[in-house]
Amino acid sequence: MNNNLGFHIADAARLMRKRFDAAARRFNVTGAQWRVLMATDLHPGINQGQLAERLDVEPITTCRMVDRLVQAGLMERRPNPADRRAWNLHVTDDAQPLIGTVRDIGADVVGQALAGFSQEEKDLLCSMLERVRTNLLDDQAFSSATARHG
């Protein structure tokens, strides 16, 4: 088996992010900000802790990014009805045009990355990467591998 799989996946993701960030810069949105907006749009009502975990960043970093987006009128914090100490995050209506643009840029970058692939190859790649993701989310498989190695 190719021991470079992890490197290839990480490097392809890095290059896609770099290409995306360069295109999104024209719209005065940073890569970190578009990731916050997109994750919140996909998961309306998410709290900052969940968002930080989903983005794999520190909670204080997430708080600062959300603060900037709230000040820009692109996000809002709403009280959590189940916990008066907590806040749920939502994108605003003003953010929707930007989110549409971000989605279009993302589709362009994916199109560039998969240029020359047949539809069958694209489907197979997505299916296989989803299986890799599922395997890595499986806590039981992780526990077994950890026990074997030490």
Side-chain angles (χ1 to χ4, degrees), residues 105-123:
I105 293 169
D108 289 345
V109 171
V110 169
Q112 294 165 19
L114 299 180
F117 282 62
S118 70
Q119 188 59 51
E120 183 178 325
E121 289 171 320
K122 292 174 189 178
D123 293 344

Side-chain angles (χ1 to χ4, degrees), residues 10-121:
D11 200 41
R14 178 187 65 82
L15 291 169
M16 288 178 74
R17 262 192 321 274
K18 187 175 179 179
R19 181 80 51 109
F20 180 93
D21 289 349
R25 206 170 292 127
R26 295 179 306 190
F27 300 96
N28 296 321
V29 62
T30 68
Q33 289 171 331
W34 71 257
R35 285 186 281 281
V36 168
L37 283 172
M38 294 305 291
T40 305
D41 190 53
L42 288 171
H43 305 282
I46 193 170
N47 68 43
Q48 283 184 190
Q50 294 165 331
L51 182 61
E53 186 175 314
R54 181 167 291 284
L55 298 176
D56 201 22
V57 297
E58 293 297 319
I60 190 67
T61 302
T62 303
C63 182
R64 288 183 190 126
M65 289 188 288
V66 169
D67 285 346
R68 283 188 208 108
L69 291 166
V70 167
Q71 288 173 348
L74 300 174
M75 287 184 70
E76 62 185 8
R77 291 180 174 100
R78 296 181 193 163
N80 181 325
D83 182 351
R84 66 181 186 186
R85 298 166 299 164
W87 297 90
N88 295 340
L89 303 174
H90 297 270
V91 297
T92 63
D93 290 341
D94 289 346
Q96 292 306 320
L98 179 60
I99 289 171
T101 299
V102 167
R103 282 200 173 106
D104 291 344
I105 293 169
D108 289 345
V109 171
V110 169
Q112 294 165 19
L114 299 180
F117 282 62
S118 70
Q119 188 59 51
E120 183 178 325
E121 289 171 320

